[in-house]
Amino acid sequence: MAVFCAGSHRFPLGEKTYVMGILNVTPDSFSDGGRYFALPDSLRHAEEMERAGADILDIGAQSTRPGHIPVSAEEEWSRLEPVLRALRERTALPISVDTYYPSVAEAAVSAGAGIINDVSGSLENGMPAVAARTGAGLVMMHAGGGADDAGEGERQDPLTRVRRYFLQALKAAEAAGLPTERVCLDPGIGFGKDRQGDLALAACLPELTVGLPETAVLVGASRKRVIAACCDSEPPVGERTAGTVAIHTVAQWNGAHILRAHDVAEAVQAARVTDALRRAAGR
């Protein structure tokens, strides 16, 4: 059985679907900005997600919402460090850090994180080398606008663009000495695609991975705009749980191994039922 390895943690692929709970320690996240910015609030929410059944905690200290203003690596680390060090004393769950700064990623792994969730989409920022050097697992996400989207790629459909990125990401990992079992691929729903493209990534996920080495696949559509775009009422961010579950369930049925979600209790329940349905169908 293939596995995703991250530090001392091993995630067998196909045994169950893993839920990655989102912990935003930012004042300006698109979904819950400011709610968990203070350390006591961050720790309380992390404990709530663990009790709800989260398999992984993903900490982000920089918003990636449209129009966000980037903060420096120093500011990002000043937000992350106290939360990460406090959590490491309180939980045995694997911790992922959402960043696009290699220096922050390296510091986070030294402080106890096991997964680097690189949301940059870059294949030239040195992150595979950081993961190879530190023993961390690495999530490599297609963000749009990178080299894979240049020129002719801009006129190609999202499935073609994302598959090209996956192929390039695996080559970049190999070149850095990062084993395939420590790579997790993310199609980047909500990043650089239109709404139909976002839907296609979940609905046609097998087309993205067919013929590739077996790696972990992460999908994160939690509360994103694509959900509102599907609904006549355009529900606000806090009222998109059912739509999130719908997209994630389709992605899981199509082979996603990790689901990144804000509403952990609902995500875990849906994932366990979908796992059971997949087993019943012999998948």
Side-chain angles (χ1 to χ4, degrees), residues 81-98:
E81 183 179 20
V83 180
L84 179 56
R85 292 193 184 281
L87 278 179
R88 210 44 304 160
E89 297 297 320
R90 288 167 167 78
T91 181
L93 285 182
I95 295 177
S96 166
V97 170
D98 184 323

Side-chain angles (χ1 to χ4, degrees), residues 133-239:
R133 184 165 61 248
T134 60
L138 177 63
V139 179
M140 304 179 78
M141 187 192 81
H142 179 272
D148 60 300
D149 285 332
E152 188 65 28
E154 294 174 352
R155 294 185 289 275
Q156 292 179 333
D157 66 272
L159 294 176
T160 300
R161 290 161 52 203
V162 173
R163 181 171 170 83
R164 179 184 294 112
Y165 172 81
F166 282 0
L167 289 166
Q168 293 175 337
L170 290 168
K171 288 180 181 178
E174 182 180 14
L178 182 65
T180 301
E181 60 265 23
R182 291 199 359 237
V183 173
C184 178
L185 299 173
D186 178 352
I189 289 176
F191 290 82
K193 298 93 176 170
D194 61 20
R195 301 291 77 82
Q196 287 303 119
D198 284 335
L199 294 172
L201 294 174
C204 305
L205 191 60
E207 294 180 28
L208 297 176
T209 58
V210 63
L212 299 184
E214 190 170 6
T215 64
V217 175
L218 182 151
V219 168
S222 188
R223 300 182 181 176
K224 290 185 176 175
R225 288 178 298 171
V226 61
I227 296 165
C230 294
C231 305
D232 293 338
S233 62
E234 296 194 5
V237 168
E239 298 176 13

Side-chain angles (χ1 to χ4, degrees), residues 6-272:
S8 62
H9 300 280
R10 290 170 57 85
F11 302 89
L13 303 182
E15 188 173 279
K16 64 176 281 189
T17 303
Y18 304 97
V19 172
M20 175 185 277
I22 299 170
L23 177 58
N24 287 317
V25 291
T26 68
D28 58 345
S29 168
F30 86 96
S31 176
D32 51 15
R35 289 186 64 187
Y36 311 116
F37 190 47
L39 181 60
D41 295 330
S42 297
L43 297 179
R44 184 181 67 254
H45 188 52
E47 290 167 357
E48 290 170 351
M49 291 193 290
E50 182 170 14
R51 287 196 298 271
D55 300 291
I56 304 165
L57 298 177
D58 185 55
I59 311 173
Q62 178 154 200
S63 174
T64 55
R65 64 178 173 81
H68 74 283
I69 299 174
V71 300
S72 67
E74 292 74 20
E75 172 66 19
E76 186 178 76
W77 179 238
S78 74
R79 297 175 180 180
L80 278 172
E81 183 179 20
V83 180
L84 179 56
R85 292 193 184 281
L87 278 179
R88 210 44 304 160
E89 297 297 320
R90 288 167 167 78
T91 181
L93 285 182
I95 295 177
S96 166
V97 170
D98 184 323
T99 185
Y100 49 72
Y101 292 123
S103 61
V104 172
E106 190 148 13
V109 176
S110 295
I115 300 172
I116 301 166
N117 186 5
D118 183 2
V119 295
S120 70
S122 173
L123 298 176
E124 300 177 355
N125 62 357
M127 205 70 88
V130 173
R133 184 165 61 248
T134 60
L138 177 63
V139 179
M140 304 179 78
M141 187 192 81
H142 179 272
D148 60 300
D149 285 332
E152 188 65 28
E154 294 174 352
R155 294 185 289 275
Q156 292 179 333
D157 66 272
L159 294 176
T160 300
R161 290 161 52 203
V162 173
R163 181 171 170 83
R164 179 184 294 112
Y165 172 81
F166 282 0
L167 289 166
Q168 293 175 337
L170 290 168
K171 288 180 181 178
E174 182 180 14
L178 182 65
T180 301
E181 60 265 23
R182 291 199 359 237
V183 173
C184 178
L185 299 173
D186 178 352
I189 289 176
F191 290 82
K193 298 93 176 170
D194 61 20
R195 301 291 77 82
Q196 287 303 119
D198 284 335
L199 294 172
L201 294 174
C204 305
L205 191 60
E207 294 180 28
L208 297 176
T209 58
V210 63
L212 299 184
E214 190 170 6
T215 64
V217 175
L218 182 151
V219 168
S222 188
R223 300 182 181 176
K224 290 185 176 175
R225 288 178 298 171
V226 61
I227 296 165
C230 294
C231 305
D232 293 338
S233 62
E234 296 194 5
V237 168
E239 298 176 13
R240 300 176 186 173
T241 303
T244 298
V245 167
I247 294 179
H248 283 177
T249 296
V250 170
Q252 180 182 348
W253 187 263
N254 284 328
H257 305 104
I258 303 172
L259 304 173
R260 185 176 179 273
H262 294 87
D263 303 295
V264 169
E266 293 85 348
V268 169
Q269 184 179 100
R272 296 292 77 79

